[in-house]
Amino acid sequence: MQRKSSIDLAGAAGLVTFATMLAFNQVVIKVTNGGIGPVFGAGLRSVLALAALAAWVWLRGIGFAGLRRHWKPGALLGGLFTVEFVCLFLALDLTTVSRASIMLYSMPVWLALIAHFTLPGETLSRRRALGLVLAMAGVVWALYDPQSRGAGDLRGDLLAVCASLAWTGIALTVRLTPISDAPPQTQLFWQLAVSAVALVALAPLFGPLLRDPSAIHWAGLLFQAVCVASLGFLFWLWLISIYPASDVAAFSFLSPVLSVGMGWLLLDEPLGPGTLGALGLVAVGIVLINRRRRVA
């Protein structure tokens, strides 16, 4: 499909749906970690998601075009994907959904900053620079907020920041390397295939593989694999191949807002003025970063 210069109505609706699903996924990961070791769970998710992706490709009869030709950037995508989800699953095992989500969804901040130097047409204006400062101030506020910090863990918060940086690397790799010419299913194949092997191999280094899992933990794992790691990320890769990277990232400000609400509603996490203030700064900052000047 032809690239577009801005988000249209269909793209906005898809991004809102994706943001909501990602927000709920943070809760699902934290619950699933209660029965399955975090890194092992991430590895099983990649294995199941790879199977779901292969089934989807086979049913549609479309194949994995350019699989061998793009093995170098594909391996890089897979490595970044592995780092992202080692960090994210461990983060959600240590800290709250609210705090981890604010850190994770600082991704548009890092993307805007790096895109300023690497992607044409995405320079950092004064307004976008102000947005970056506000968003970063929100992240720092969230890190040091005394009320939510008591329910979280600084190690988990920093791991979530690392996951955010790895996610930024994925977005930039998709845009700046030859794999940008590959269809979304090929890009996702490399991420899932590499991470399936790497995560399962690394899992024993992070404690017991199983933590007395029950039906809800296996159901959570299945949701992550099918709805998020395969079809969900396939959809996200498709969107970022059509719309400007920063415009796609802009909608991610919805995910921390929704994640904080779901953490409070479903997990009874603390929701004080510090968390809300930090969340507000991050959200406003992301909007300013990604708001484009209208041309008369």
Side-chain angles (χ1 to χ4, degrees):
M1 184 177 289
Q2 185 178 3
R3 285 194 60 84
K4 299 183 179 182
S5 60
S6 61
I7 298 290
D8 54 21
L9 183 61
L15 285 165
V16 170
T17 301
F18 184 62
T20 303
M21 183 173 62
L22 286 185
F24 181 63
N25 188 54
Q26 309 307 306
V27 175
V28 174
I29 291 173
K30 190 164 187 68
V31 171
T32 304
N33 280 353
I36 304 172
V39 178
F40 186 54
L44 290 179
R45 187 184 79 153
S46 287
V47 171
L48 293 172
L50 184 60
L53 175 65
W56 181 81
V57 167
W58 178 75
L59 288 171
R60 295 199 60 191
I62 54 178
F64 295 104
L67 196 61
R68 295 180 182 178
R69 185 170 70 256
H70 298 301
W71 74 268
K72 288 184 179 179
L76 176 59
L77 278 180
L80 289 167
F81 195 85
T82 299
V83 172
E84 178 184 354
F85 287 99
V86 166
C87 292
L88 178 59
F89 274 62
L90 289 174
L92 287 166
D93 200 43
L94 293 169
T95 193
T96 63
V97 168
S98 301
R99 290 172 67 86
S101 295
I102 292 173
M103 307 305 158
L104 177 66
Y105 292 107
S106 63
M107 186 275 272
V109 177
W110 313 118
L111 182 59
L113 183 61
I114 299 173
H116 172 75
F117 300 101
T118 59
L119 297 180
E122 300 197 24
T123 55
L124 203 59
S125 64
R126 290 183 180 178
R127 182 182 59 238
R128 300 182 78 200
L130 173 61
L132 189 147
V133 171
L134 290 175
M136 289 305 302
V139 169
V140 173
W141 189 356
L143 280 171
Y144 291 99
D145 172 49
Q147 181 176 355
S148 65
R149 189 170 59 185
D153 187 300
L154 184 59
R155 295 171 300 170
D157 301 333
L158 295 177
L159 281 168
V161 172
C162 291
S164 178
L165 291 170
W167 188 7
T168 304
I170 290 173
L172 291 169
T173 300
V174 169
R175 288 293 303 275
L176 294 174
T177 70
I179 205 168
S180 61
D181 298 327
Q185 66 270 18
T186 298
Q187 298 172 14
L188 186 57
F189 171 87
W190 278 110
Q191 294 177 67
L192 293 175
V194 172
S195 64
V197 174
L199 290 168
V200 171
L202 290 171
L205 302 177
F206 295 92
L209 302 184
L210 299 177
R211 300 171 170 178
D212 193 22
S214 62
I216 191 173
H217 302 118
W218 296 118
L221 182 63
L222 188 62
F223 168 81
Q224 294 174 54
V226 176
C227 297
V228 180
S230 56
L231 301 183
F233 277 100
L234 189 66
F235 182 58
W236 183 77
L237 288 168
W238 176 74
L239 288 171
I240 206 168
S241 70
I242 295 174
Y243 300 104
S246 58
D247 283 4
V248 172
F251 279 77
S252 64
F253 88 91
L254 291 171
S255 289
V257 173
L258 294 168
S259 294
V260 168
M262 289 181 184
W264 169 73
L265 181 64
L266 301 176
L267 301 177
D268 198 28
E269 293 183 352
L271 186 59
T275 301
L276 292 174
L279 180 62
L281 284 178
V282 171
V284 171
I286 291 172
V287 170
L288 289 175
I289 286 169
N290 295 290
R291 183 181 178 187
R292 294 181 179 273
R293 185 184 301 275
R294 294 185 181 272
V295 179

